[in-house]
Amino acid sequence: MNVNILLVAFVVCGLLGACQGGQLRKNFYRSTCPSAEEIVRNVTWNHVSSNPNLPAKLLRMHFHDCFVRGCDGSVLLNSTANNTAEKDAAPNLSLAGFNVIDDIKENVENKCPGIVSCADILALAARDSVSFQFKRSLWKVLTGRRDGTISRTREALINIPPPAFNFTQLKQRFASKNLTVHDLVVLSGSHTIGVGHCPTFSNRLYNFTGKGDQDPSLNATYAAFLKTKCPSLNDTTTTVEMDPGSSLKFDTGYYATLKQHKGLFQSDAALLTNKGAANIVQELGDNDKFFTEFAQSMVRMGAIEVLTGTSGEIRSKCWAVNSN
Protein backbone atom coordinates (compact mmCIF):
# COMPACT_ATOMS: atom_id res chain seq x y z
CA MET A 1 0.00 0.00 0.00
CA ASN A 2 1.56 3.28 -1.13
CA VAL A 3 0.92 5.25 2.02
CA ASN A 4 2.90 6.16 5.08
CA ILE A 5 0.48 4.85 7.68
CA LEU A 6 1.84 6.82 10.58
CA LEU A 7 1.72 10.03 8.59
CA VAL A 8 -1.86 9.28 7.62
CA ALA A 9 -2.69 8.89 11.31
CA PHE A 10 -1.36 12.33 12.12
CA VAL A 11 -3.07 13.93 9.12
CA VAL A 12 -6.41 12.27 9.81
CA CYS A 13 -6.36 13.15 13.49
CA GLY A 14 -5.49 16.71 12.55
CA LEU A 15 -8.35 16.91 10.07
CA LEU A 16 -10.86 15.43 12.44
CA GLY A 17 -9.69 17.18 15.56
CA ALA A 18 -11.00 14.21 17.48
CA CYS A 19 -8.05 12.00 18.38
CA GLN A 20 -8.50 13.08 21.96
CA GLY A 21 -5.64 12.60 24.40
CA GLY A 22 -3.22 11.04 21.93
CA GLN A 23 -2.85 9.44 18.53
CA LEU A 24 -3.70 6.14 16.94
CA ARG A 25 -0.61 4.34 15.76
CA LYS A 26 0.69 1.08 14.39
CA ASN A 27 1.24 -1.70 16.93
CA PHE A 28 -0.13 0.27 19.87
CA TYR A 29 -0.07 -2.90 22.00
CA ARG A 30 3.48 -3.89 21.07
CA SER A 31 4.75 -3.62 24.65
CA THR A 32 1.55 -4.11 26.67
CA CYS A 33 0.06 -7.07 24.78
CA PRO A 34 2.41 -8.16 21.98
CA SER A 35 0.22 -11.04 20.81
CA ALA A 36 -3.04 -9.02 20.70
CA GLU A 37 -3.29 -8.63 16.93
CA GLU A 38 -2.27 -12.24 16.34
CA ILE A 39 -5.00 -13.45 18.71
CA VAL A 40 -7.59 -11.30 16.99
CA ARG A 41 -6.57 -12.60 13.59
CA ASN A 42 -6.47 -16.27 14.63
CA VAL A 43 -9.87 -16.22 16.33
CA THR A 44 -11.41 -14.22 13.47
CA TRP A 45 -10.03 -16.55 10.79
CA ASN A 46 -11.23 -19.56 12.73
CA HIS A 47 -14.77 -18.16 12.68
CA VAL A 48 -14.65 -17.09 9.03
CA SER A 49 -13.43 -20.54 7.97
CA SER A 50 -16.78 -21.97 9.05
CA ASN A 51 -18.91 -18.90 8.23
CA PRO A 52 -18.01 -17.23 4.91
CA ASN A 53 -20.75 -14.62 5.43
CA LEU A 54 -18.92 -13.16 8.42
CA PRO A 55 -16.61 -10.66 6.64
CA ALA A 56 -19.55 -8.63 5.33
CA LYS A 57 -21.17 -8.67 8.77
CA LEU A 58 -18.10 -7.50 10.70
CA LEU A 59 -17.21 -4.87 8.10
CA ARG A 60 -20.75 -3.47 8.31
CA MET A 61 -20.65 -3.52 12.10
CA HIS A 62 -17.40 -1.51 12.02
CA PHE A 63 -18.97 1.07 9.68
CA HIS A 64 -22.04 1.41 11.86
CA ASP A 65 -19.86 1.79 14.95
CA CYS A 66 -17.69 4.52 13.45
CA PHE A 67 -20.62 6.58 12.15
CA VAL A 68 -22.16 6.88 15.62
CA ARG A 69 -19.98 8.59 18.26
CA GLY A 70 -16.91 7.56 16.28
CA CYS A 71 -15.09 4.22 16.37
CA ASP A 72 -15.62 3.64 20.10
CA GLY A 73 -17.29 0.23 20.24
CA SER A 74 -20.60 1.79 21.26
CA VAL A 75 -22.46 -0.43 18.76
CA LEU A 76 -21.43 -3.44 20.86
CA LEU A 77 -23.17 -2.32 24.03
CA ASN A 78 -26.41 -3.98 25.09
CA SER A 79 -29.48 -2.00 26.06
CA THR A 80 -30.19 -1.68 29.78
CA ALA A 81 -33.30 -1.08 31.84
CA ASN A 82 -32.66 2.67 31.58
CA ASN A 83 -31.29 2.97 28.04
CA THR A 84 -32.00 1.61 24.55
CA ALA A 85 -28.62 1.17 22.86
CA GLU A 86 -27.49 1.60 19.25
CA LYS A 87 -27.64 -2.17 18.79
CA ASP A 88 -31.44 -2.03 19.03
CA ALA A 89 -31.93 0.81 16.52
CA ALA A 90 -33.66 -0.16 13.28
CA PRO A 91 -30.52 0.11 11.07
CA ASN A 92 -28.66 -2.23 13.42
CA LEU A 93 -31.27 -4.94 13.97
CA SER A 94 -29.78 -6.97 11.12
CA LEU A 95 -26.21 -6.70 12.42
CA ALA A 96 -24.58 -10.02 13.29
CA GLY A 97 -21.25 -11.28 14.56
CA PHE A 98 -21.41 -9.93 18.11
CA ASN A 99 -20.62 -13.42 19.39
CA VAL A 100 -17.39 -13.38 17.40
CA ILE A 101 -16.29 -10.09 18.97
CA ASP A 102 -17.12 -11.53 22.41
CA ASP A 103 -15.07 -14.64 21.65
CA ILE A 104 -12.09 -12.57 20.52
CA LYS A 105 -12.36 -10.36 23.60
CA GLU A 106 -12.41 -13.39 25.91
CA ASN A 107 -9.28 -14.79 24.29
CA VAL A 108 -7.48 -11.44 24.46
CA GLU A 109 -8.54 -10.89 28.08
CA ASN A 110 -7.17 -14.31 29.04
CA LYS A 111 -3.77 -13.21 27.74
CA CYS A 112 -3.79 -9.49 28.59
CA PRO A 113 -6.59 -8.49 30.95
CA GLY A 114 -7.77 -4.89 30.79
CA ILE A 115 -5.44 -3.81 27.98
CA VAL A 116 -7.08 -4.11 24.56
CA SER A 117 -10.22 -2.13 23.76
CA CYS A 118 -13.33 -3.55 22.14
CA ALA A 119 -13.19 -0.69 19.64
CA ASP A 120 -9.77 -1.87 18.46
CA ILE A 121 -10.89 -5.50 18.43
CA LEU A 122 -13.80 -4.62 16.14
CA ALA A 123 -11.57 -2.58 13.80
CA LEU A 124 -9.02 -5.41 13.62
CA ALA A 125 -11.62 -8.15 13.25
CA ALA A 126 -13.32 -6.30 10.38
CA ARG A 127 -9.97 -6.09 8.56
CA ASP A 128 -8.96 -9.66 9.36
CA SER A 129 -12.29 -11.18 8.34
CA VAL A 130 -12.16 -9.54 4.90
CA SER A 131 -8.47 -10.46 4.59
CA PHE A 132 -9.08 -14.17 5.24
CA GLN A 133 -9.82 -14.68 1.53
CA PHE A 134 -6.32 -13.44 0.67
CA LYS A 135 -4.41 -14.79 3.71
CA ARG A 136 -2.78 -11.38 4.12
CA SER A 137 -3.86 -8.08 5.64
CA LEU A 138 -5.61 -5.87 3.10
CA TRP A 139 -5.15 -2.68 5.09
CA LYS A 140 -3.30 -1.36 8.11
CA VAL A 141 -5.31 -0.86 11.26
CA LEU A 142 -3.97 1.84 13.53
CA THR A 143 -4.72 1.07 17.17
CA GLY A 144 -5.04 2.86 20.48
CA ARG A 145 -8.80 3.45 20.52
CA ARG A 146 -10.58 3.37 23.84
CA ASP A 147 -14.15 2.28 24.47
CA GLY A 148 -17.06 4.68 24.80
CA THR A 149 -19.53 4.44 27.65
CA ILE A 150 -22.60 5.89 25.89
CA SER A 151 -24.80 4.15 23.32
CA ARG A 152 -28.14 5.62 22.27
CA THR A 153 -30.55 4.23 19.70
CA ARG A 154 -31.60 7.73 18.62
CA GLU A 155 -28.03 8.60 17.62
CA ALA A 156 -27.83 5.54 15.38
CA LEU A 157 -30.99 6.65 13.59
CA ILE A 158 -29.56 10.13 13.09
CA ASN A 159 -26.06 9.18 11.95
CA ILE A 160 -26.13 5.93 9.96
CA PRO A 161 -26.77 6.70 6.27
CA PRO A 162 -29.90 4.80 5.14
CA PRO A 163 -29.99 2.89 1.83
CA ALA A 164 -32.57 5.31 0.37
CA PHE A 165 -30.29 8.37 0.57
CA ASN A 166 -29.65 10.37 -2.60
CA PHE A 167 -26.21 11.70 -3.52
CA THR A 168 -26.57 15.06 -1.79
CA GLN A 169 -27.64 13.38 1.45
CA LEU A 170 -24.79 10.87 1.25
CA LYS A 171 -22.23 13.59 0.57
CA GLN A 172 -23.47 15.62 3.54
CA ARG A 173 -23.51 12.64 5.90
CA PHE A 174 -19.98 11.58 4.97
CA ALA A 175 -18.77 15.18 5.17
CA SER A 176 -20.15 15.36 8.72
CA LYS A 177 -17.63 12.61 9.54
CA ASN A 178 -14.87 14.43 7.66
CA LEU A 179 -14.99 11.89 4.84
CA THR A 180 -14.87 12.99 1.20
CA VAL A 181 -16.89 12.04 -1.87
CA HIS A 182 -13.91 9.90 -2.81
CA ASP A 183 -14.20 8.06 0.52
CA LEU A 184 -17.93 7.66 -0.07
CA VAL A 185 -17.44 5.93 -3.42
CA VAL A 186 -14.52 3.84 -2.22
CA LEU A 187 -16.21 2.66 0.98
CA SER A 188 -19.41 1.88 -0.94
CA GLY A 189 -17.27 -0.78 -2.60
CA SER A 190 -17.71 -2.82 0.57
CA HIS A 191 -21.08 -3.75 -0.96
CA THR A 192 -19.11 -6.22 -3.06
CA ILE A 193 -19.74 -8.65 -0.18
CA GLY A 194 -22.90 -9.36 1.76
CA VAL A 195 -26.64 -9.22 1.23
CA GLY A 196 -29.50 -6.76 1.50
CA HIS A 197 -32.93 -7.38 2.99
CA CYS A 198 -35.95 -6.80 0.75
CA PRO A 199 -37.33 -3.83 2.74
CA THR A 200 -34.10 -1.87 2.12
CA PHE A 201 -34.70 -1.71 -1.63
CA SER A 202 -38.20 -3.02 -2.49
CA ASN A 203 -39.64 0.51 -2.75
CA ARG A 204 -37.48 0.81 -5.89
CA LEU A 205 -39.45 -2.08 -7.34
CA TYR A 206 -43.00 -1.28 -6.33
CA ASN A 207 -43.47 2.25 -5.02
CA PHE A 208 -40.55 4.47 -5.91
CA THR A 209 -42.38 7.81 -5.94
CA GLY A 210 -45.44 6.72 -3.99
CA LYS A 211 -47.43 5.95 -7.13
CA GLY A 212 -46.82 2.21 -7.37
CA ASP A 213 -43.97 2.74 -9.83
CA GLN A 214 -40.47 1.35 -10.37
CA ASP A 215 -37.19 3.26 -10.12
CA PRO A 216 -36.40 4.16 -13.75
CA SER A 217 -32.66 4.15 -13.01
CA LEU A 218 -32.73 0.46 -12.12
CA ASN A 219 -31.80 -2.01 -14.86
CA ALA A 220 -35.18 -3.39 -16.02
CA THR A 221 -33.98 -7.00 -16.33
CA TYR A 222 -32.43 -6.84 -12.89
CA ALA A 223 -35.59 -5.29 -11.47
CA ALA A 224 -37.63 -8.18 -12.87
CA PHE A 225 -35.25 -10.63 -11.19
CA LEU A 226 -35.47 -8.78 -7.87
CA LYS A 227 -39.27 -8.95 -8.03
CA THR A 228 -39.02 -12.75 -8.13
CA LYS A 229 -36.94 -12.59 -4.94
CA CYS A 230 -39.06 -9.97 -3.18
CA PRO A 231 -42.61 -10.48 -4.48
CA SER A 232 -44.13 -7.73 -2.34
CA LEU A 233 -43.41 -4.79 -0.08
CA ASN A 234 -44.39 -7.01 2.85
CA ASP A 235 -41.43 -9.41 2.55
CA THR A 236 -39.20 -8.59 5.52
CA THR A 237 -37.04 -11.72 5.71
CA THR A 238 -35.67 -12.52 2.24
CA THR A 239 -32.13 -11.40 1.40
CA VAL A 240 -30.50 -10.70 -1.97
CA GLU A 241 -26.80 -10.55 -2.86
CA MET A 242 -25.53 -6.99 -3.19
CA ASP A 243 -22.97 -8.12 -5.79
CA PRO A 244 -24.87 -10.81 -7.76
CA GLY A 245 -22.96 -14.08 -8.04
CA SER A 246 -19.96 -12.75 -6.13
CA SER A 247 -21.24 -11.80 -2.68
CA LEU A 248 -18.61 -13.79 -0.79
CA LYS A 249 -15.64 -12.49 -2.80
CA PHE A 250 -14.08 -9.13 -1.97
CA ASP A 251 -13.31 -7.65 -5.39
CA THR A 252 -14.25 -4.88 -7.82
CA GLY A 253 -17.46 -6.62 -8.92
CA TYR A 254 -19.57 -3.99 -7.18
CA TYR A 255 -18.40 -1.26 -9.55
CA ALA A 256 -18.99 -3.39 -12.66
CA THR A 257 -22.49 -4.14 -11.39
CA LEU A 258 -23.09 -0.47 -10.61
CA LYS A 259 -22.14 0.62 -14.13
CA GLN A 260 -24.79 -1.79 -15.45
CA HIS A 261 -27.35 0.06 -13.27
CA LYS A 262 -27.70 -2.98 -11.05
CA GLY A 263 -26.79 -1.31 -7.75
CA LEU A 264 -29.17 -2.83 -5.20
CA PHE A 265 -29.82 0.25 -3.07
CA GLN A 266 -30.88 3.73 -4.03
CA SER A 267 -27.69 4.91 -2.31
CA ASP A 268 -25.67 2.75 -4.73
CA ALA A 269 -27.42 4.14 -7.80
CA ALA A 270 -26.94 7.64 -6.38
CA LEU A 271 -23.20 7.41 -7.03
CA LEU A 272 -23.89 7.59 -10.76
CA THR A 273 -25.97 10.77 -10.46
CA ASN A 274 -22.92 12.96 -9.76
CA LYS A 275 -20.26 13.35 -12.44
CA GLY A 276 -17.33 13.36 -10.04
CA ALA A 277 -18.55 10.29 -8.18
CA ALA A 278 -19.33 8.49 -11.44
CA ASN A 279 -15.76 9.12 -12.61
CA ILE A 280 -14.45 7.56 -9.42
CA VAL A 281 -16.71 4.54 -9.97
CA GLN A 282 -15.07 4.17 -13.38
CA GLU A 283 -11.56 4.35 -11.93
CA LEU A 284 -12.21 1.81 -9.18
CA GLY A 285 -12.94 -0.95 -11.66
CA ASP A 286 -9.19 -1.51 -11.60
CA ASN A 287 -8.36 -4.10 -8.95
CA ASP A 288 -5.08 -2.59 -7.73
CA LYS A 289 -6.57 0.91 -7.65
CA PHE A 290 -9.56 -0.24 -5.59
CA PHE A 291 -7.50 -2.16 -3.04
CA THR A 292 -5.08 0.73 -2.56
CA GLU A 293 -7.83 3.32 -2.22
CA PHE A 294 -9.98 1.13 0.04
CA ALA A 295 -7.03 0.66 2.39
CA GLN A 296 -6.54 4.42 2.69
CA SER A 297 -10.24 5.21 3.17
CA MET A 298 -10.48 2.56 5.89
CA VAL A 299 -7.67 4.28 7.80
CA ARG A 300 -9.57 7.56 7.53
CA MET A 301 -12.87 6.03 8.59
CA GLY A 302 -11.21 4.15 11.43
CA ALA A 303 -10.05 7.44 12.94
CA ILE A 304 -13.48 9.10 13.15
CA GLU A 305 -13.91 10.77 16.56
CA VAL A 306 -11.80 8.15 18.33
CA LEU A 307 -11.23 8.20 22.07
CA THR A 308 -7.58 7.82 23.03
CA GLY A 309 -5.28 8.44 25.98
CA THR A 310 -7.37 8.55 29.15
CA SER A 311 -10.73 9.17 27.47
CA GLY A 312 -13.32 6.41 27.68
CA GLU A 313 -12.32 3.05 29.17
CA ILE A 314 -11.16 -0.46 28.33
CA ARG A 315 -14.24 -2.62 28.76
CA SER A 316 -13.94 -6.02 30.41
CA LYS A 317 -16.93 -7.24 28.41
CA CYS A 318 -17.68 -5.68 25.04
CA TRP A 319 -21.44 -5.69 25.62
CA ALA A 320 -21.40 -3.71 28.89
CA VAL A 321 -19.67 -0.68 30.35
CA ASN A 322 -17.44 -1.37 33.34
CA SER A 323 -19.05 -1.07 36.74
CA ASN A 324 -17.52 1.61 38.94
Side-chain angles (χ1 to χ4, degrees):
M1 183 172 61
N2 298 323
V3 59
N4 183 317
I5 293 296
L6 196 54
L7 178 59
V8 169
F10 290 133
V11 171
V12 170
C13 289
L15 286 172
L16 300 183
C19 292
Q20 302 156 11
Q23 305 282 6
L24 299 183
R25 61 177 184 267
K26 282 181 64 177
N27 302 315
F28 179 82
Y29 302 106
R30 178 181 289 157
S31 60
T32 55
C33 188
S35 59
E37 295 194 21
E38 181 182 3
I39 294 170
V40 174
R41 184 185 69 241
N42 290 343
V43 177
T44 301
W45 282 15
N46 183 53
H47 279 277
V48 176
S49 66
S50 59
N51 181 4
N53 297 305
L54 193 57
K57 297 181 185 303
L58 292 181
L59 189 56
R60 182 169 178 246
M61 187 189 296
H62 183 36
F63 285 170
H64 283 213
D65 182 40
C66 290
F67 266 74
V68 186
R69 289 189 165 266
C71 312
D72 68 343
S74 54
V75 74
L76 304 172
L77 289 170
N78 286 348
S79 294
T80 64
N82 301 317
N83 178 66
T84 306
E86 293 169 32
K87 187 185 286 189
D88 291 317
N92 289 334
L93 293 177
S94 57
L95 290 181
F98 294 105
N99 62 310
V100 176
I101 301 300
D102 291 339
D103 188 24
I104 297 170
K105 178 63 170 175
E106 184 177 345
N107 278 269
V108 172
E109 285 294 302
N110 287 341
K111 186 72 174 179
C112 314
I115 299 296
V116 183
S117 70
C118 297
D120 275 344
I121 286 173
L122 176 53
L124 290 163
R127 186 272 310 274
D128 292 339
S129 63
V130 175
S131 300
F132 176 77
Q133 170 189 333
F134 304 91
K135 298 299 188 289
R136 63 178 177 83
S137 294
L138 289 189
W139 64 89
K140 299 289 185 184
V141 174
L142 305 177
T143 44
R145 299 168 189 79
R146 287 172 64 85
D147 297 322
T149 58
I150 297 171
S151 182
R152 299 180 179 130
T153 185
R154 180 180 60 84
E155 294 182 357
L157 294 171
I158 292 171
N159 286 283
I160 296 171
F165 259 13
N166 62 33
F167 180 77
T168 300
Q169 293 169 316
L170 288 168
K171 180 181 177 181
Q172 290 172 344
R173 185 60 51 86
F174 272 65
S176 73
K177 308 301 175 186
N178 282 287
L179 296 175
T180 65
V181 167
H182 190 269
D183 292 318
L184 163 62
V185 180
V186 170
L187 294 174
S188 293
S190 63
H191 287 177
T192 187
I193 52 174
V195 298
H197 289 74
C198 289
T200 59
F201 60 85
S202 56
N203 69 303
R204 301 184 73 199
L205 305 175
Y206 300 108
N207 198 32
F208 186 59
T209 64
K211 299 177 182 178
D213 54 340
Q214 183 174 298
D215 183 349
S217 73
L218 185 60
N219 180 290
T221 304
Y222 185 49
F225 164 75
L226 291 175
K227 286 179 178 178
T228 68
K229 291 289 190 179
C230 307
S232 78
L233 285 168
N234 299 321
D235 186 333
T236 59
T237 56
T238 302
T239 60
V240 175
E241 292 178 296
M242 292 190 287
D243 185 359
S246 180
S247 65
L248 297 178
K249 186 178 180 184
F250 192 81
D251 57 19
T252 58
Y254 167 79
Y255 298 105
T257 297
L258 193 57
K259 286 185 286 186
Q260 296 168 21
H261 298 280
K262 295 179 181 178
L264 188 60
F265 305 125
Q266 193 173 337
S267 58
D268 293 321
L271 301 182
L272 298 179
T273 64
N274 174 269
K275 186 176 181 180
N279 287 339
I280 298 169
V281 168
Q282 193 70 35
E283 293 171 5
L284 293 174
D286 177 84
N287 217 52
D288 291 340
K289 175 79 169 174
F290 170 58
F291 279 68
T292 299
E293 298 297 331
F294 192 82
Q296 295 182 21
S297 288
M298 286 300 294
V299 172
R300 286 172 57 82
M301 190 196 77
I304 296 173
E305 298 169 26
V306 293
L307 303 174
T308 60
T310 58
S311 299
E313 64 181 17
I314 303 297
R315 287 184 218 138
S316 298
K317 302 284 187 182
C318 290
W319 48 267
V321 296
N322 297 338
S323 55
N324 295 327

